[in-house]
Amino acid sequence: MSLAEKIRDALMYAVVELDEDVLGRIEWARAMEAKSASASQGSTASLAVLDAIIENLKIAKERRLPMCQDTGLFLVFVDVGKESTVALSALEAAIHEGCLAAVQEAHYRRSVVAEPVFARKNTTNNMPPAIYYSLVGGSDVTIQILLKGFGSENCSSVRMLNPTGGREAVIKAVGEIVSLAGGKPCPPIFIGVGLGGTMDRAAYLSKRALLRDVRIGHEDEQYRRLEEDILAHVQSLGIGSGGMGGTITALSVAIEAEPTHIAGMPLAVSINCWADRKARIVHKEGEDA
Amino acid sequence: MRKLTLPLSQADIAQLNAYDQVLLSGTLYVGRDQVHRLLYAMIEKQEPLPIDLNGATIYYMGPSPAPEGMVIGACGPTTSARMDPFSPTLLDRGLAVMIGKGPRSEAVSEAIVRNKALYLQAYGGCGALYAEAVKRVTPVAFAELGPEALIELEVEDFPAIVAIDSRGGSVFSRS
């Protein structure tokens, strides 16, 4: 199977079914909300939302239909091993070919316009994907693709925080961004937080954070605790599933951090809806590209 | 769970309260960002509209393509807040029911009360679930908008929750 075919197949699956880690968090939210469902109208409504989501996933799987009509924008992260000999031009061609085939075969909605301000003419095939390339160790090429829906993307945001603000400033800023989003991004949500770098690097890191298996916390304990404390703060906001109240607003928080300047603490929050759809393809050295 | 027939009567609307769960059957229009921009401009210029808004229902949605053997693809709601700048004008022109997801502006809430209208929330992201409720799709206007075109749907047991009722009672009022 060619790399383009592997990408196509992964994208045809991702638009219909969620990965096990994501499903597990939705089931967890339902169990939590069921405990308090009689306590408030908000929790009862939240439970109805979570039941609808679970029923929706069942129908999508049976009918091989996209779980959500917003099949997203292809946001592609390519990690190229420094010892890989695959040509970047061949990689890019395979990504384009795989994305295009999935759009046609899995009935993706045509959601991409060629230019943002004036005619906004639909490209009619969801091309082009947005691609980031990075160099990593080893000889593998890892391609990760987010199907980024825009109900949630419109609620994502960047803040340039004060360098002396510390973890409290981070928790407060994420809480404000999630509060402002309220019921708009299809909660319960997944939250990616990028910290450090520059304004654009923080935004990039916040998307990379969404790629992580949602069962796994940050490898550094301080950041892992910060993820937990942000999650607890977000739950206390009481937005709930569908934004109608309830105890669970977010399903996970993942942070990615990197070095930054003495004068700043860039923070970006990428919000993803419960339909946290992602594809992952590993290309081994020597395989067809 | 209350079963109701579209278009809703004034009596139906008056009886509904925030948080009520409903199942809708009947016909509704579908329009989102560009349709709202165009209808709003037509009203401003006093041009004739392609649909009669009186008592009508508009669902904020843009479907994915219909696979073979189905009338529509995934068809869940889109975020309502983007329609907020246009909705008061449409409500004042007779629009009775809006279906979408997420909170609305104060101006929309006031226009709902002023016109004894209704805002329903559909289950966000549940495109496959809503595909099961759609029985027929009829193109109406602005076909050039592709997935954003104005269409009419015949639906059966379309599930939703009353998000803002005709007295301004809201499921979003805490925030």
Side-chain angles (χ1 to χ4, degrees), chain A residues 105-129:
Chain A
E105 293 181 38
H107 305 286
Y108 275 62
R109 190 179 70 189
R110 277 48 167 186
S111 307
V112 175
V113 295
E115 161 276 312
V117 181
F118 300 101
R120 292 184 64 88
K121 192 171 160 37
N122 199 301
T123 65
T124 73
N125 57 11
N126 286 358
M127 294 293 109

Side-chain angles (χ1 to χ4, degrees), chain A residues 169-227:
Chain A
V170 172
I171 295 169
K172 182 166 174 278
V174 178
E176 286 169 4
I177 290 165
V178 173
S179 274
L180 202 61
K184 287 185 280 191
C186 286
I189 54 174
F190 291 93
I191 300 173
V193 180
L195 285 165
T198 49
M199 177 271 282
D200 54 307
R201 284 295 299 182
Y204 166 78
L205 291 170
S206 71
K207 284 293 186 305
R208 277 214 81 112
L210 288 174
L211 296 172
R212 197 198 300 159
D213 183 318
V214 299
R215 292 168 294 200
I216 298 169
H218 198 282
E219 58 186 15
D220 179 296
E221 196 189 339
Q222 292 188 93
Y223 282 96
R224 193 165 62 244
R225 286 199 179 150
L226 182 54
E227 289 172 347

Side-chain angles (χ1 to χ4, degrees), chain A residues 25 28 230-240 246-252:
Chain A
R25 293 308 283 171
W28 165 80
I230 292 171
L231 184 61
H233 177 58
V234 166
Q235 309 301 28
S236 78
L237 299 173
I239 294 165
T247 55
I248 305 297
T249 297
L251 299 170
S252 84

Side-chain angles (χ1 to χ4, degrees), chain A:
Chain A
M1 193 181 275
S2 71
L3 179 58
E5 287 167 336
K6 286 181 197 164
I7 293 168
R8 176 201 63 193
D9 288 358
L11 291 172
M12 288 180 71
Y13 180 88
V15 78
V16 172
E17 298 192 47
L18 293 175
D19 290 337
E20 201 183 312
D21 60 323
V22 174
L23 270 180
R25 293 308 283 171
I26 292 171
E27 280 157 9
W28 165 80
R30 198 211 170 272
M32 293 296 287
E33 214 63 81
K35 279 188 209 164
S36 46
S38 52
S40 73
Q41 283 182 308
S43 275
T44 305
S46 264
L47 192 61
V49 170
L50 290 160
D51 282 341
I53 289 169
I54 290 165
E55 175 70 9
N56 178 64
L57 289 167
K58 199 175 121 217
I59 295 166
K61 189 174 174 177
E62 281 168 11
R63 289 190 169 256
R64 305 315 296 172
L65 200 61
M67 66 185 78
C68 176
Q69 70 290 337
D70 184 358
T71 52
L73 181 142
F74 292 123
L75 188 58
V76 186
F77 299 81
V78 185
D79 292 342
V80 183
K82 288 173 185 166
E83 287 144 47
S84 169
T85 59
V86 65
L88 284 180
S89 56
L91 272 182
E92 185 152 299
I95 290 165
H96 279 248
E97 191 185 330
C99 288
L100 195 55
V103 167
Q104 285 158 350
E105 293 181 38
H107 305 286
Y108 275 62
R109 190 179 70 189
R110 277 48 167 186
S111 307
V112 175
V113 295
E115 161 276 312
V117 181
F118 300 101
R120 292 184 64 88
K121 192 171 160 37
N122 199 301
T123 65
T124 73
N125 57 11
N126 286 358
M127 294 293 109
I131 309 179
Y132 290 108
Y133 294 93
S134 314
L135 278 178
V136 297
S139 62
D140 288 353
V141 177
T142 305
I143 299 168
Q144 297 179 89
I145 307 176
L146 284 177
L147 305 187
K148 193 63 188 76
F150 256 59
S152 57
E153 187 62 5
N154 281 334
C155 301
S156 297
S157 191
V158 175
R159 297 264 182 100
M160 302 305 281
L161 300 179
N162 200 311
T164 54
R167 72 197 306 281
E168 294 311 316
V170 172
I171 295 169
K172 182 166 174 278
V174 178
E176 286 169 4
I177 290 165
V178 173
S179 274
L180 202 61
K184 287 185 280 191
C186 286
I189 54 174
F190 291 93
I191 300 173
V193 180
L195 285 165
T198 49
M199 177 271 282
D200 54 307
R201 284 295 299 182
Y204 166 78
L205 291 170
S206 71
K207 284 293 186 305
R208 277 214 81 112
L210 288 174
L211 296 172
R212 197 198 300 159
D213 183 318
V214 299
R215 292 168 294 200
I216 298 169
H218 198 282
E219 58 186 15
D220 179 296
E221 196 189 339
Q222 292 188 93
Y223 282 96
R224 193 165 62 244
R225 286 199 179 150
L226 182 54
E227 289 172 347
E228 291 163 5
D229 289 351
I230 292 171
L231 184 61
H233 177 58
V234 166
Q235 309 301 28
S236 78
L237 299 173
I239 294 165
S241 298
M244 295 181 285
T247 55
I248 305 297
T249 297
L251 299 170
S252 84
V253 175
I255 296 174
E256 292 290 328
E258 70 177 24
T260 191
H261 191 276
I262 52 171
M265 185 165 69
L267 165 115
V269 174
S270 279
I271 296 182
N272 214 0
C273 52
W274 62 260
D276 183 19
R277 295 155 292 176
K278 33 198 180 188
R280 187 168 192 276
I281 305 100
V282 179
H283 175 77
K284 295 281 182 191
E285 182 66 7
E287 291 176 342
D288 284 347

